[in-house]
Amino acid sequence: MITTFLHLCGLLIGTVAILPSTEVLTNANVDEIVRQMTLEEKATLCVGGHISNSVPGAAGYTRPVERLGIPATVLADGPAGLRINPVREGSESTYYCTGFPIGTLLASSWDVNLVSEVTSAIGNEVLEYGVDVLLAPGVNIHRNPLCGRNFEYFSEDPVLSGNMAAAYINGVQSNKVGTSIKHFAGNNQETNRNENDARISTRALREIYLKNFEIAIRKANPWTVMSSYNKINGQYTQQSEDLLTKVLRDDWGYQGIVMTDWGSKAATVDASKAGNDLMEPGNEGEIARIIDAVRSGVLSEEILDRNVRNILNYIVKTPSFRKYQHSDRPDLAGHAEIARRAAGESIVLLRNEESTLPLGTDNKVALYGIGAMDFVAGGTGSGNVNKAYVVNLAEGLRNAGYSLDEDLLSYYESYIAYDKAAQKMKSNGNRPNWGGFASHKYSEIPVEQAAVNVQAANNDAAVIVIGRNAGEGSDRNLVADFELSEVERNLINTVSNTFHKEGKKVIVVLNVGGVIETASWKNLADAIVLPWSPGQEGANAIGDILSGKVNPSGKLPMTFPLAYFDHPSSINFPYDKAGAGDGLMSPVIGRGWQREAQKNVDFSEYEEGIWVGYRYFDTNDKAVSYPFGYGLSYTTFKYSNAIVRATSDGFVASVKVTNTGKVAGKEVVEVYVDAPEGGLEKPSKELKAFAKTALLQPGESETLSFRISRYELSSFNEEANRWECAAGRYSVMFGSNVSDIRASASCNISRTETFAVSDAYISR
Ligand code: BGC
């Protein structure tokens, strides 16, 4: 009513051309509002800025245009939960968010329903804390195990990664708040991430590094996309029309907005032209650049209008626009339960000799490793959630019913207390802010043989936790991070030799954010459990797994190689520069800040092409420590009745899974395809679909079916610049992991079908 009145006033005034219209934004008048905006207002809308009285700790904002009823909107980080400040000046209340499992652990569930359940809870916190967009999920491919941000990302495989991302986005957005899928694209290392040029073939881009984004965008339509800092093939992604317009919008039909990662580049105008609608976090200089460019004719106003229209179409969907009255009181207790269950459903059991696990809770446990008390719930940097508490492993095991060797724990406790006091003295009471305590991971401390002798006599089993923390801004080290440190190696050796002499079992818990070397020591452990960084309730979930309350059903979303240099990307990654940080520009005398371009720092050659992860290991029969998709259960499963039936669009495949063991359990079925070559080299197996059964009781069966389209079966022919689903026989394999195919069938596709794409990236 009011709007109509204002609209009429606007028209009347408009006819006599005295004042600009006072029509305000609705979800039906975006084009009209664009017409009414001044150049300054348009430029302002395309550049983020700080907004007072908003949500402390949010990462960024879009600016308001009050005259036209355009509100500011609030953007805050994820992905393991919402990241805002937990306390506010002048307020007694707290604003903690739930620390959920990291992306890699969620992907280890291989369960899209579980992921959506988790992220509906995250989305609810986004809504109730007054935020409009969660800056997540992170979906970059695990190209190399040392990437410092792999923990935020899902997998080495685009189909697993893309489907996890779609489930993530759908869950968050079911709350009518937005997501920002990131970092688009080719951001697979942290070292010099602002400048690094990722040199990737068109085929590897289309099949691997863009495919995950494509799946998520087609299946879930995220409100926003975040362009990355790095370059692809010589051009910043933020300024790439190939990426942001041709691929994203023309090929995939994306209609939301694109925003820069935090710290847009100097070429604001190039970014605007390329299809990067919003600059974040934004500064006044960027506004001025846009205005000047339009005035001087360098940037056409139509392009600016296109970007403004995209942003307005986003704004009308937000809670800020609909003036949602947020409570600041999400159900944290309920969400903590979801976090615990999600971790339990995702933890991967890597080894379980002689049914060491489950371990009865009547066993007294000697818990070794500083991680017992210094448990890593998540990573550091923008992905670090400010949670109210973290259950440490000692508490988690006690809560599960185990009694622990308290003398041993006090050894770790006193060391941590001593070190905290020492740090406090050194820093004069101040702690670094970026991750704060969370970023300080205590190094392992040595154990003494004499003490371990007593512990082995007094306890029934040993649990050793190996902890790692990773985070934004630097990659991981090869030594004492991917590989064990000497102290950790001695710890595993001493404890396992001593306990084994007493006939007692040793269980290793890997509380890590990324892949570590396991081949050299795994035989010393009777069982190995991989919870990754499982969130604030993760230690309780480990208790659930060790005690058998939950039967493990997680599987690896990446390969564990025998050694780092087995990895196809090993030498084309800054494995020797780790810890160097994301800004590596150093002066060369006489040449200011210029210097010779350095391999793996200024540019990274993706020489392995499409042969990423298992595509390489499996096709080349290269031995690994644990294959892609691997994970054990306390029960066993039989696969039968594999059927593949052609449809007009591809095929439908199904398989029957029966629980043949003694306890209830869930099984992830992985569907791999070996496609006819059709003139292209292809991996021996590619994951095309997956699903998890319901909880099957002993003897119970479930038939899972999968629909796979010809487009999904296609490979990218770089020469012809198109997707091709080659004619011929497709072998369809149902695997418990990539190296353990339990049933298969095949199907014929009689003629080659092709799918055209834009000309993006064909000039390389
Ligand atoms: C990170 C993004 C994050 C943004 C805002 C950047 O440094 O790369 O992932 O969303 O900061 O905090």
Side-chain angles (χ1 to χ4, degrees):
M1 193 71 177
I2 292 174
T3 318
T4 319
F5 171 70
L6 293 174
H7 183 65
L8 275 175
C9 294
L11 285 180
L12 289 175
I13 293 166
T15 49
V16 289
I18 299 170
L19 284 170
S21 163
T22 49
E23 183 165 2
V24 295
L25 180 68
T26 70
N27 49 21
N29 70 353
V30 165
D31 287 339
E32 179 54 29
I33 292 293
V34 175
R35 268 193 291 279
Q36 291 179 17
M37 288 174 83
T38 64
L39 174 58
E40 288 74 9
E41 286 168 341
K42 290 176 187 171
T44 303
L45 195 65
C46 292
V47 177
H50 186 75
I51 304 297
S52 56
N53 298 330
S54 200
V55 180
Y61 302 89
T62 62
R63 301 184 196 225
V65 181
E66 272 148 29
R67 180 178 80 84
L68 297 167
I70 303 172
T73 66
V74 186
L75 321 169
D77 270 308
L82 175 66
R83 175 180 166 81
I84 56 172
N85 291 352
V87 289
R88 293 180 189 171
E89 230 172 276
S91 165
E92 295 284 293
S93 309
T94 55
Y95 303 81
Y96 287 106
C97 298
T98 309
F100 286 93
I102 58 167
T104 300
L105 182 58
L106 290 181
S108 305
S109 73
W110 294 64
D111 183 343
V112 289
N113 297 328
L114 180 83
V115 172
S116 287
E117 195 190 340
V118 166
T119 60
S120 327
I122 297 179
N124 174 262
E125 294 186 18
V126 172
L127 180 71
E128 292 306 336
Y129 278 131
V131 171
D132 296 287
V133 172
L134 182 76
L135 302 170
V139 305
N140 296 83
I141 292 289
H142 290 188
R143 170 181 178 242
N144 184 285
L146 300 185
C147 171
R149 281 186 100 169
N150 276 354
F151 73 95
E152 292 185 62
Y153 305 148
F154 296 116
S155 169
E156 70 185 19
D157 179 84
V159 169
L160 180 57
S161 169
N163 282 287
M164 286 293 138
Y168 188 112
I169 294 163
N170 284 330
V172 173
Q173 292 191 173
S174 66
N175 293 276
K176 298 201 175 106
V177 295
T179 53
S180 192
I181 190 171
K182 68 189 187 184
H183 308 91
F184 192 49
N187 183 184
N188 307 102
Q189 70 181 61
E190 288 298 284
T191 307
N192 204 24
R193 65 174 170 162
N194 284 300
E195 299 299 326
N196 178 261
D197 182 20
R199 298 182 179 167
I200 316 177
S201 73
T202 309
R203 179 171 179 197
L205 271 174
R206 291 277 186 183
E207 290 189 13
I208 310 283
Y209 298 100
L210 299 180
K211 194 56 166 182
N212 48 352
F213 286 96
E214 177 181 357
I215 293 169
I217 280 163
R218 289 189 194 271
K219 288 194 173 177
N221 197 21
W223 289 8
T224 84
V225 169
M226 188 188 292
S227 54
S228 55
Y229 290 125
N230 55 285
K231 299 173 194 161
I232 292 180
N233 300 338
Q235 189 172 38
Y236 290 112
T237 59
Q238 304 183 352
Q239 294 156 20
S240 168
E241 193 184 344
D242 273 8
L243 187 66
L244 304 185
T245 296
K246 291 182 181 176
V247 169
L248 181 63
R249 301 184 204 259
D250 299 348
D251 290 339
W252 304 345
Y254 180 64
Q255 299 198 328
I257 62 170
V258 177
M259 68 177 84
T260 60
D261 197 348
W262 262 232
S264 30
K265 314 283 179 188
T268 312
V269 175
D270 290 347
S272 304
K273 284 184 187 168
N276 197 115
D277 310 286
L278 177 64
M279 313 299 150
E280 284 293 342
N283 61 51
E284 305 305 313
E286 290 167 319
I287 299 180
R289 268 181 232 138
I290 294 175
I291 294 174
D292 290 351
V294 172
R295 289 208 177 117
S296 63
V298 173
L299 176 66
S300 81
E301 195 148 357
E302 285 78 56
I303 295 280
L304 182 60
D305 286 354
R306 173 197 72 181
N307 298 355
V308 168
R309 204 173 297 116
N310 288 339
I311 296 175
L312 291 177
N313 279 324
Y314 143 73
I315 287 176
V316 296
K317 293 192 281 197
T318 59
S320 287
F321 178 75
R322 51 176 196 277
K323 299 194 169 55
Y324 180 78
Q325 296 299 312
H326 58 273
S327 64
D328 281 332
R329 302 186 65 165
D331 175 13
L332 295 181
H335 294 176
E337 274 171 36
I338 297 176
R340 174 178 182 160
R341 191 156 44 78
E345 297 281 314
S346 313
I347 288 173
V348 186
L349 179 62
L350 289 178
R351 184 176 169 88
N352 196 17
E353 296 301 290
E354 295 167 356
S355 300
T356 298
L357 296 178
L359 182 75
T361 51
D362 50 346
N363 284 283
K364 186 171 176 209
V365 171
L367 178 53
Y368 290 92
I370 197 111
M373 312 304 299
D374 178 32
F375 190 73
V376 182
T380 64
S382 61
N384 176 30
V385 177
N386 293 311
K387 40 211 169 286
Y389 64 89
V390 172
V391 178
N392 70 34
L393 192 53
E395 280 171 77
L397 297 192
R398 277 191 209 109
N399 292 345
Y402 294 104
S403 58
L404 303 180
D405 185 323
E406 298 296 335
D407 288 345
L408 174 56
L409 288 175
S410 66
Y411 172 60
Y412 293 112
E413 246 165 354
S414 0
Y415 174 75
I416 291 175
Y418 155 80
D419 189 76
K420 270 188 185 157
Q423 297 262 350
K424 201 167 168 189
M425 277 186 279
K426 271 189 267 173
S427 63
N428 211 10
N430 297 318
R431 279 275 174 180
N433 208 15
W434 190 237
F437 266 112
S439 66
H440 183 79
K441 173 83 195 90
Y442 293 92
S443 302
E444 197 49 69
I445 52 174
V447 286
E448 286 192 24
Q449 183 64 62
V452 179
N453 290 343
V454 176
Q455 287 143 6
N458 290 348
N459 293 279
D460 304 311
V463 172
I464 304 173
V465 56
I466 298 293
R468 293 279 180 277
N469 208 1
E472 179 177 349
S474 58
D475 292 312
R476 293 169 54 215
N477 281 300
L478 182 50
V479 177
D481 189 342
F482 179 78
E483 291 164 357
L484 294 186
S485 68
E486 269 320 294
V487 178
E488 289 168 336
R489 214 173 273 285
N490 289 338
L491 172 67
I492 295 181
N493 277 328
T494 312
V495 171
S496 79
N497 289 338
T498 318
F499 274 72
H500 286 159
K501 267 191 212 139
E502 298 261 352
K504 294 174 179 173
K505 303 285 190 193
V506 176
I507 300 143
V508 174
V509 172
L510 297 178
N511 178 209
V512 298
V515 174
I516 69 166
E517 184 275 324
T518 50
S520 69
W521 57 267
K522 65 183 180 187
N523 291 337
L524 296 172
D526 301 291
I528 304 177
V529 176
L530 173 63
W532 300 109
S533 307
Q536 66 183 46
E537 284 284 339
N540 280 331
I542 296 171
D544 293 339
I545 293 283
L546 294 193
S547 65
K549 189 171 161 199
V550 172
N551 185 353
S553 60
K555 295 199 176 174
L556 290 179
M558 81 296 280
T559 311
F560 271 51
L562 289 178
Y564 172 77
F565 288 103
D566 286 353
H567 235 277
S569 62
S570 57
I571 57 164
N572 287 307
F573 188 88
Y575 64 91
D576 50 353
K577 310 269 185 325
D582 52 4
L584 265 184
M585 293 304 279
S586 55
V588 168
I589 295 169
R591 277 193 285 154
W593 286 89
Q594 295 297 312
R595 58 172 167 70
E596 294 297 318
Q598 250 186 62
K599 180 176 155 70
N600 299 340
V601 172
D602 300 296
F603 62 94
S604 296
E605 294 286 358
Y606 285 43
E607 256 168 15
E608 71 282 5
I610 62 160
W611 307 101
V612 177
Y614 72 88
R615 284 169 167 73
Y616 166 79
F617 290 106
D618 189 73
T619 309
N620 295 289
D621 285 327
K622 189 139 179 93
V624 297
S625 188
Y626 294 108
F628 176 76
Y630 179 89
L632 301 172
S633 164
Y634 297 153
T635 187
T636 48
F637 297 96
K638 185 175 133 219
Y639 292 34
S640 59
N641 298 13
I643 301 171
V644 180
R645 189 170 48 78
T647 63
S648 57
D649 181 38
F651 54 73
V652 173
S654 61
V655 70
K656 184 173 163 192
V657 180
T658 307
N659 182 348
T660 49
K662 295 199 174 60
V663 290
K666 297 181 178 178
E667 169 72 340
V668 171
V669 174
E670 303 158 29
V671 183
Y672 296 94
V673 167
D674 181 7
E677 301 275 286
L680 298 176
E681 252 196 306
K682 291 183 188 172
S684 50
K685 293 187 193 100
E686 283 191 290
L687 184 78
K688 292 294 172 188
F690 59 89
K692 197 171 200 169
T693 65
L695 186 72
L696 298 178
Q697 297 302 323
E700 201 183 342
S701 306
E702 181 178 349
T703 297
L704 296 173
S705 52
F706 309 87
R707 182 171 286 276
I708 302 171
S709 71
R710 290 192 186 177
Y711 182 65
E712 289 166 325
L713 291 171
S714 302
S715 299
F716 194 78
N717 182 335
E718 222 172 54
E719 297 300 307
N721 191 47
R722 64 184 189 199
W723 290 99
E724 291 179 355
C725 176
R729 185 141 287 269
Y730 286 75
S731 159
V732 180
M733 295 161 273
F734 301 92
S736 183
N737 65 63
V738 73
S739 306
D740 182 9
I741 301 304
R742 301 276 181 90
S744 58
S746 64
C747 166
N748 211 48
I749 288 188
S750 54
R751 63 178 175 80
T752 297
E753 191 171 341
T754 62
F755 304 88
V757 296
S758 68
D759 64 2
Y761 293 115
I762 59 173
S763 56
R764 184 182 144 89

